[in-house]
Each structure stands twice: as structure tokens, then as C-alpha cells.
Amino acid sequence: MSATPIALVYGSSTCYTEMTAEKIRDYLGADRVTLINLADSPLADVQPYPYIIMGIPTWDYGELQEDWEERWPELDTVDFTGKPVALFGQGDQVGYPEWFLDAMGYLHDKLVVRGALPTGYWPNQGYEFEASKALTSDGQLFYGLALDDENQFEESEARIQTWCDQLRSEWQL
Ligand SMILES: Cc1cc2nc3c(=O)[nH]c(=O)nc-3n(C[C@H](O)[C@H](O)[C@H](O)COP(=O)(O)O)c2cc1C
């Protein structure tokens, strides 16, 4: 049994996703959440945890952040069957409106193929962008918590808290 029930795995090039990861850990409780930075640790470290949160920023016009890109093949080495996974993304809806949070969409699609149980979908109200690969087919929900610290930093704290409460309820923690 792992020390905490939740692994929070993330990649972060300029620390926005890392700061979000720390806020989520603090809000859910450090006794419940272990942080795993993909710059230092393999993705397979998530395997023993019953619940997984993944943080992924989008870079370079709809591309994966570099640590996620490097670790991507490791997603095939983890057994995600039936495992509750929740995603959060950092992006810039003003600077990159045609690719807003695309990487979160790629990660979601990969996890579904790998048998994970996606949780923590998030309403798309309150954002302005042109296209995103991180939206459900009806366009109503993001595949995870959508954050834009570049343009909506003042909204992030409340969004994080609401999403964490949603996870507590979805996961019955
Ligand atoms: C060169 C560059 C390219 C970016 N491309 C995208 C993009 O395609 N889509 C998006 O939503 N955000 C994009 N962003 C915004 C980043 O996702 C945002 O700055 C994020 O907070 C970075 O997170 P990190 O510091 O955890 O790496 C880009 C930012 C930079 C500087």
C-alpha cells in the first residue's frame, strides 16, 4: 500500500503547472497526495496509487510539454484498467486560442485507450478560445480542470478549490 492514496504527476517547464500541483496537494491534504515531477521520476511511479491526478501544460502550438513528451511511451507500461484519473491543464487562451489545452486532450484520449476511468470533467463556461482538443464531443466540458494563469490567474484559486471538492465527491474521499 502506498503512503498516500493519490499520486499527482505533472510536467512543467516554467513552473505554472508545478505551482498548481502544490496548491492541489495543499487543498486535498499533504497526507493524501504525493507529488511526482516527471522531470525527476518515471511515470510508472503512479502504479501503486488507487487515485491519480495528472497535470499537463500545452506548448508550442498544441504540443506536449517536454517532460510529458519524453515520458509518453511509459503510459503503455502502467496498468490503468478501471483506475480513476483526473486531469488538469495549463494553457493560454489569448495567445494560443486555436490550441487551448490541446495536450490535456491528447492525454485524456491515451488514458481512455489504456482503460482508465476519466473523472473530474469541468464546464467550459468562462473561457474564450477558438478550438481545443480537450473538449467532450458535445463541446460542453473540458476533460479536466482548465487553467490559464497567464490571463485568468485571479480565477485559478477558486477553480482549483471547486474542482478539488468535485473530486472528493466523485472519488468519495
Ligand atoms: C512558446 C509557447 C507556446 C505555447 N503554446 C500553447 C498552446 O499551444 N496552447 C495553450 O493552451 N497554451 C500554450 N502556451 C501557454 C502555456 O501552456 C502556459 O504558459 C503554461 O502556463 C505553461 O505551463 P508550465 O509553466 O507548467 O510549463 C504556450 C506558451 C509558450 C511560451
Side-chain angles (χ1 to χ4, degrees):
M1 192 50 193
S2 46
T4 66
I6 305 170
L8 195 169
V9 60
Y10 66 92
S12 185
S13 295
T14 50
C15 289
Y16 286 101
T17 306
E18 180 158 62
M19 286 189 291
T20 308
E22 288 166 356
K23 285 180 190 163
I24 290 171
R25 177 202 53 199
D26 293 347
Y27 196 68
L28 287 176
D31 54 333
R32 284 178 165 166
V33 180
T34 298
L35 295 186
I36 298 171
N37 184 346
L38 291 177
D40 309 321
S41 306
L43 203 144
D45 282 5
V46 303
Q47 186 68 79
Y49 295 84
Y51 301 92
I52 302 173
I53 298 173
M54 295 183 171
I56 182 164
T58 301
W59 276 88
D60 299 328
Y61 308 96
E63 297 293 327
L64 301 173
Q65 184 269 344
E66 59 183 344
D67 301 314
W68 273 107
E69 185 160 29
E70 195 165 314
R71 303 282 187 189
W72 199 254
E74 298 176 24
L75 286 166
D76 289 321
T77 70
V78 178
D79 181 8
F80 286 105
T81 313
K83 201 171 277 228
V85 178
L87 308 181
F88 68 94
Q90 278 282 2
D92 173 354
Q93 65 199 292
V94 175
Y96 304 89
E98 293 166 63
W99 303 274
F100 185 45
L101 301 172
D102 274 5
M104 183 162 72
Y106 294 130
L107 182 56
H108 170 272
D109 293 352
K110 177 72 179 171
L111 289 165
V112 167
V113 169
R114 298 284 304 139
L117 189 66
T119 57
Y121 285 8
W122 182 254
N124 73 352
Q125 280 98 46
Y127 307 86
E128 270 186 54
F129 57 95
E130 288 167 34
S132 173
K133 292 199 163 62
L135 288 171
T136 53
S137 52
D138 62 5
Q140 298 297 303
L141 298 170
F142 284 108
Y143 288 140
L145 174 63
L147 296 171
D148 179 349
D149 279 1
E150 298 273 341
N151 306 292
Q152 297 182 325
F153 181 74
E154 64 290 346
E155 304 204 34
S156 292
E157 192 79 35
R159 284 172 170 166
I160 289 168
Q161 293 195 2
T162 303
W163 187 69
C164 287
D165 290 342
Q166 179 185 326
L167 284 191
R168 279 203 190 102
S169 151
E170 284 186 41
W171 293 354
Q172 299 183 340
L173 289 176

